[in-house]
Amino acid sequence: MKKILGISAFYHDSSASVIYGDEIIAAAQEERFTRIKHDSNFPTNAIKYCLEESGFSINELDAIVFYEKPILKFERLLETYYAFAPKGITSFLKAIPIWVSEKIFLKKLIYNGLREVENFNKKKLNLLFSEHHLSHSASTYYPSSFNESAILTIDGVGEWCTASICYGQKNKIKVLRELHFPHSVGLLYSCFTYFLGFKVNSGEYKLMGLAPYGNQNDQETINFIKLIKDNLVKINQDGSIWLDQKYYNYSTGLKMIKNRKWEKLFGLDLRKPEDQITQKHCNLALAIQKITEEIVIKMAREAKRLTGSKNLCLAGGAALNSVANGKLLKENIFEQIYIQPAAGDAGGSLGAALATNFIFYNQNRSVKAIDSMKGTFLGPSFSEKEVQSMNKRTKAVFLKYENFNQLIKDVAYKISKGNVVGWFQGRMEFGPRALGCRSILADARNPEMHKKLNLKIKNREGFRPLAPSVLAELSKNFFDLEVESPYMLFVSDVLEKRKEELSNDFQIKNLWDKLHTKKSDIPSVTHVDCSARVQTVHKETNLKYWSLINEFNKLTNYGLVINTSFNVRGEPIVCTPLDAFSCFMSTEIDYLVINDFVYEKSQQLDFENKEKWRVKFQMD
């Protein structure tokens, strides 16, 4: 069996992964260690962790593989500037020196980065490079429980490819179709992210969350869809697209779009991050979301036509659009859909390692009944000794439980009484979602929790939806979801029997009136369109979290809780006990649970000095 380290770096969401044969040993994003959100630097800390967790040294590895091919990317950059010349000279002069001095000599950068991890014999090091979209394809197909599958990857851009359709069978992946730069679904969505005032490569979630506030029956929304299709994007029957570059600036410019052309087209000024969100913004967000869903579904139909498979594997940043995933599921094109939980560039490190194992080394692949992602709990865990060290350093006041069953009973009771709990257990999640090991939990029945969590704890936009974690065996009691959703990657409707009757004028209400209208008996996880991004919690993969929700169910007859990631706006999800305690102290979280230790805010020394802890959190 081969020992392989995968690396993703130098764009955004750097990460490292280690596999041994077809077993995924460890995977983590660099941002969790450096506390720099979407950190793109060489993942020194993530590699150190992965090697420590696996017990391997660099010299023992059979291969180290980078998730894309930089020379092909440089080729795309040069050809693009040549095609658009003399436009883009400013961007060219800014980008080329960086490529010449750094990225062309990527091998040297990797060697230097590895030396920061530990000493190694360079002559024995087998350094390989995968292709970007092959890394995405491998990241989702190989961990899946399918022996064969259609594979669809969609993101911004890799080397040249922006979307691909592949076919996976046994241990091989065959590329069938590719969409090439500058025509890109991911870049199209990111352009609207930018135009609507959110940050590219991180604000796409916000755009997706804003879209349901739009009114699909409003003539303005209908006109927006027509304007986009008539001017910005041509959608072919097979899902391939063509973007009219006279409206875009990402190919050779320093901005995503040509602002004045977009403002004239939509009769709407470029929104600044601090500007008020109007109904026009909501309707435009809905328009591009609907168009994205149409493209994804057409691509999926083409994947079905080309492969004839009953299975589909998804990856790439666009695969994190859980609304589109939910719509795709409803189309019943495929019998089974599997989505890589770290579908973005972070998952590229894992895909590169898996592609090397199965394609380069031609290793046999054994298919398991459930996927091999281990619930995506692939990051570090912390011992009692390490937690006690944090307690001494922070002078934390705590209660240590000897009986974990009693702990979950007490914590479930606290949640049922309106308390917010930081929940820190076991190994950290790999990917953008907190799935019950680094989570903030609260009662979904409480209509005030949505506002409290967004504004007073997460410090983020009030319109953002919150997600439910529901016992897998009870999910159909709450949601119109026929499949498991362990990675919170499908949006589904709340059941009709749980919905409140809405007034006839609900659709024409403004954003905030819609937000504050009670829409179901689980109001704090019900979005304005009566949907929810569901995580089904399984006893087999996360027993402690399942047990906590089960205790909550015994108390309330509601087998679900709010689950939002354990972080504040602008910060990565917490990794260490110190990260968790500092975040706890700098927000209005009422209780913190780390392993067997419980901390109550009101008992902590200097608990009212949130700013002190916020600064400490950033520094540490």
Side-chain angles (χ1 to χ4, degrees):
M1 294 196 295
K2 303 299 182 182
K3 307 179 185 76
I4 302 169
L5 169 69
I7 298 172
S8 165
F10 306 127
Y11 184 46
H12 60 89
D13 293 308
S14 293
S15 72
S17 304
V18 164
I19 65 171
Y20 182 42
D22 60 359
E23 183 184 2
I24 304 167
I25 303 296
Q29 291 160 249
E30 184 69 3
E31 66 164 20
R32 307 294 170 84
F33 303 95
T34 63
R35 312 309 303 156
I36 301 169
K37 195 160 189 178
H38 304 299
D39 195 344
S40 63
N41 291 304
F42 188 81
T44 305
N45 298 284
I47 292 172
K48 285 179 180 178
Y49 155 68
C50 287
L51 293 177
E52 182 180 334
E53 185 70 33
S54 66
F56 304 150
S57 68
I58 291 177
N59 285 331
E60 291 176 307
L61 297 171
D62 293 287
I64 296 175
V65 56
F66 193 72
Y67 81 124
E68 62 182 10
K69 295 189 174 182
I71 298 301
L72 284 180
K73 207 165 190 176
F74 186 57
E75 174 191 274
R76 186 251 298 170
L77 195 70
L78 288 177
E79 288 194 24
T80 300
Y81 282 125
Y82 179 77
F84 283 87
K87 295 178 182 178
I89 186 64
T90 303
S91 176
F92 178 85
L93 292 174
K94 184 177 180 180
I96 293 303
I98 296 172
W99 272 91
V100 171
S101 64
E102 295 181 7
K103 296 188 179 180
I104 286 186
F105 302 104
L106 190 62
K107 281 189 177 182
K108 183 179 178 182
L109 281 177
I110 294 172
Y111 289 140
N112 290 343
L114 291 171
R115 286 191 185 96
E116 292 183 30
V117 176
E118 64 185 40
N119 292 322
F120 61 92
N121 186 340
K122 184 179 174 182
K123 292 181 179 179
K124 291 184 178 180
L125 191 69
N126 187 17
L127 181 59
L128 305 173
F129 295 84
S130 176
E131 288 190 356
H132 186 102
H133 274 261
L134 177 61
S135 296
H136 279 319
S137 294
S139 77
T140 185
Y141 171 62
Y142 290 124
S144 77
S145 58
F146 307 148
N147 194 45
E148 60 82 33
S149 179
I151 308 168
L152 177 59
T153 69
I154 311 169
D155 69 358
V157 60
E159 295 87 0
W160 278 103
C161 183
T162 64
S164 71
I165 296 172
C166 302
Y167 181 61
Q169 187 173 34
K170 296 182 179 178
N171 69 338
K172 298 300 180 186
I173 291 176
K174 182 180 180 181
V175 180
L176 303 176
R177 293 283 190 277
E178 287 187 344
L179 180 67
H180 283 183
F181 184 86
H183 310 295
S184 165
V185 181
L187 289 175
L188 173 66
Y189 202 82
S190 290
C191 284
F192 280 88
T193 301
Y194 167 80
F195 187 66
L196 288 168
F198 305 120
K199 189 175 180 181
V200 173
N201 291 330
S202 63
E204 285 76 9
Y205 296 127
K206 299 178 185 181
L207 177 58
M208 183 177 67
L210 183 65
Y213 292 95
N215 184 349
Q216 64 180 348
N217 299 318
D218 193 316
Q219 189 59 45
E220 183 176 64
T221 305
I222 296 168
N223 289 341
F224 280 154
I225 292 173
K226 187 174 188 303
L227 284 171
I228 295 168
K229 288 185 173 183
D230 287 349
N231 297 276
L232 298 182
V233 56
K234 177 186 176 183
I235 305 171
N236 299 311
Q237 197 58 38
D238 63 359
S240 62
I241 63 171
W242 183 85
L243 303 183
D244 188 342
Q245 291 301 299
K246 73 181 181 183
Y247 286 95
Y248 301 93
N249 209 30
Y250 55 76
S251 292
T252 57
L254 299 176
K255 295 179 181 178
M256 292 297 294
I257 61 173
K258 295 178 180 175
N259 294 354
R260 290 183 182 177
K261 284 185 178 290
W262 280 54
E263 290 174 339
K264 184 178 179 181
L265 181 65
F266 295 116
L268 189 63
D269 289 341
L270 175 77
R271 180 180 169 270
K272 296 181 176 124
E274 66 275 8
D275 288 350
Q276 182 181 356
I277 295 173
T278 68
Q279 190 59 42
K280 275 183 176 288
H281 297 124
C282 300
N283 288 344
L284 186 56
L286 179 59
I288 189 57
Q289 176 63 34
K290 289 288 185 185
I291 286 171
T292 302
E293 291 163 11
E294 178 186 342
I295 295 168
V296 170
I297 289 169
K298 284 184 174 180
M299 284 187 172
R301 290 192 187 281
E302 180 68 2
K304 176 71 172 183
R305 185 188 72 81
L306 290 171
T307 66
S309 178
K310 65 180 181 180
N311 305 314
L312 176 67
C313 292
L314 285 171
L320 296 171
N321 191 315
S322 49
V323 178
N325 296 341
K327 297 291 175 62
L328 178 59
L329 194 65
K330 289 289 185 184
E331 291 291 315
N332 291 317
I333 302 168
F334 295 90
E335 292 180 21
Q336 299 182 91
I337 298 176
Y338 178 77
I339 307 169
Q340 164 56 237
D345 277 9
S349 66
L350 175 60
L354 291 168
T356 301
N357 183 65
F358 291 111
I359 299 174
F360 184 80
Y361 286 116
N362 196 30
Q363 298 294 291
N364 292 327
R365 176 173 179 254
S366 58
V367 178
K368 301 174 179 64
I370 60 173
D371 76 344
S372 60
M373 287 296 296
K374 300 179 179 178
T376 201
F377 306 121
L378 297 166
S381 62
F382 296 86
S383 65
E384 180 178 325
K385 182 180 178 180
E386 289 169 304
V387 179
Q388 287 285 28
S389 176
M390 183 278 295
N391 291 338
K392 290 178 182 178
R393 178 177 175 183
T394 59
K395 299 179 181 178
V397 179
F398 59 87
L399 175 64
K400 183 172 188 308
Y401 280 74
E402 300 302 325
N403 185 325
F404 195 79
N405 288 332
Q406 188 60 49
L407 183 152
I408 59 174
K409 286 179 182 178
D410 290 352
V411 173
Y413 178 78
K414 294 179 194 304
I415 294 172
S416 74
K417 293 302 178 183
N419 292 291
V420 178
V421 174
W423 182 255
F424 183 110
Q425 298 289 329
R427 297 182 71 178
M428 180 181 67
E429 299 91 341
F430 179 52
R433 307 288 191 222
L435 300 170
C437 284
R438 303 290 187 274
S439 295
I440 297 173
L441 311 178
D443 188 349
R445 302 170 304 161
N446 187 331
E448 299 301 316
M449 276 302 164
H450 184 276
K451 183 176 181 180
K452 181 177 181 180
L453 286 167
N454 271 340
L455 302 183
K456 293 188 176 183
I457 292 175
K458 301 279 285 187
N459 300 316
R460 68 183 194 179
E461 299 87 351
F463 70 83
R464 304 265 303 269
L466 296 169
S469 287
V470 60
L471 298 177
E473 55 270 39
L474 298 181
S475 64
K476 292 180 183 178
N477 293 352
F478 296 93
F479 307 106
D480 181 21
L481 183 65
E482 294 299 320
V483 300
E484 296 176 347
S485 181
Y487 303 128
M488 206 184 279
L489 287 169
F490 291 110
V491 164
S492 75
D493 291 332
V494 175
L495 289 181
E496 287 294 330
K497 67 180 181 181
R498 297 199 172 275
K499 294 179 184 178
E500 299 284 338
E501 186 173 349
L502 301 176
S503 62
N504 293 331
D505 65 344
F506 177 77
Q507 281 298 333
I508 61 173
K509 287 183 176 182
N510 66 37
L511 182 155
W512 303 110
D513 287 339
K514 285 181 179 178
L515 176 64
H516 296 130
T517 299
K518 186 179 180 183
K519 293 166 281 292
S520 79
D521 65 343
I522 44 173
S524 283
V525 294
T526 303
H527 205 11
V528 290
D529 58 353
C530 293
S531 70
R533 191 180 74 231
V534 181
Q535 179 200 2
T536 53
V537 180
H538 301 259
K539 195 174 185 178
E540 298 79 12
T541 52
N542 196 340
L543 178 59
K544 288 184 176 180
Y545 191 39
W546 182 92
S547 299
L548 174 64
I549 301 173
N550 191 48
E551 285 298 327
F552 185 81
N553 182 50
K554 291 176 184 177
L555 284 173
T556 64
N557 204 31
Y558 279 72
L560 81 171
V561 295
I562 300 170
N563 172 14
T564 187
S565 57
F566 199 158
N567 66 324
V568 295
R569 183 182 184 182
E571 297 281 355
I573 295 172
V574 301
C575 175
T576 68
L578 181 60
D579 295 338
F581 188 78
S582 299
C583 188
F584 163 64
M585 291 296 289
S586 68
T587 64
E588 295 190 23
I589 296 174
D590 301 299
Y591 291 88
L592 170 65
V593 183
I594 302 179
N595 297 353
D596 299 325
F597 297 83
V598 176
Y599 308 78
E600 183 178 349
K601 177 66 64 61
S602 62
Q603 292 185 2
Q604 305 306 317
L605 301 175
D606 200 22
F607 76 92
E608 291 181 337
N609 193 351
K610 294 183 178 64
E611 194 57 39
K612 165 192 167 183
W613 285 98
R614 189 169 287 115
V615 172
K616 183 178 180 62
F617 181 48
Q618 291 169 348
M619 290 180 65
D620 284 320

